[in-house]
């Protein structure tokens, strides 16, 4: 049988620096601010939709990719997504005139 030679205070100090004071508030615990999740841009959502639609043409029945299938799917989905998009900088330059 193992014998413990540490007192309760020593053990608590070891595992996290906690004290046995019940009345003392736990102010030593720091809360980290919750970071905001990144939002998908309009382009990313359109690309995702196009990728799913086009990927069916470049996959086999078992779900694996045909030769150069993934590469072609990425290329075609970028191409079709760009057609419907307008660059913000181009629009701003046009509005300044």
């Amino acid at each position: 049988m193992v014998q413990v030679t540490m007192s309760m205070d020593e053990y608590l100090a070891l595992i996290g620096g906690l004290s046995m004071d019940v009345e003392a508030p736990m102010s030593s615990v720091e809360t980290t601010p919750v970071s905001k999740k990144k939002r998908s841009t309009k382009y990313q959502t359109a690309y995702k939709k196009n990728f799913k639609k086009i990927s069916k043409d470049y996959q086999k029945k078992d779900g694996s990719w045909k030769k150069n299938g993934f590469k072609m799917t990425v290329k075609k989905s970028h191409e079709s997504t760009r057609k419907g998009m307008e660059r913000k900088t181009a629009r701003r330059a046009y509005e300044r005139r």
Side-chain angles (χ1 to χ4, degrees):
M1 192 69 144
V2 178
Q3 291 184 356
V4 178
T5 57
M6 263 193 233
S7 69
M8 186 57 99
D9 291 331
E10 292 172 337
Y11 177 72
L12 290 174
L14 179 68
I15 62 168
L18 300 175
S19 64
M20 289 296 292
D21 296 333
V22 177
E23 296 175 7
M26 305 232 347
S27 61
S28 63
V29 178
E30 296 179 14
T31 58
T32 57
V34 178
S35 60
K36 294 181 180 179
K37 292 184 179 180
K38 293 184 179 181
R39 292 186 179 185
S40 297
T41 62
K42 186 178 177 183
Y43 183 86
Q44 289 171 334
T45 52
Y47 172 80
K48 183 178 178 180
K49 184 178 177 183
N50 287 333
F51 186 88
K52 286 181 180 179
K53 185 172 65 175
I54 295 170
S55 66
K56 295 172 188 171
D57 299 335
Y58 293 99
Q59 287 182 339
K60 297 178 186 176
K61 286 184 180 180
D62 66 352
S64 61
W65 292 101
K66 294 180 182 177
K67 185 176 181 182
N68 290 329
F70 183 78
K71 178 181 175 182
M72 292 305 296
T73 304
V74 170
K75 187 174 182 179
K76 297 254 180 174
S77 56
H78 274 301
E79 187 178 300
S80 62
T81 307
R82 272 189 238 119
K83 285 181 183 176
M85 294 291 183
E86 181 180 297
R87 285 183 22 230
K88 288 182 182 179
T89 53
R91 188 181 71 230
R92 287 186 201 128
Y94 179 76
E95 289 172 354
R96 287 182 189 167
R97 291 183 189 176

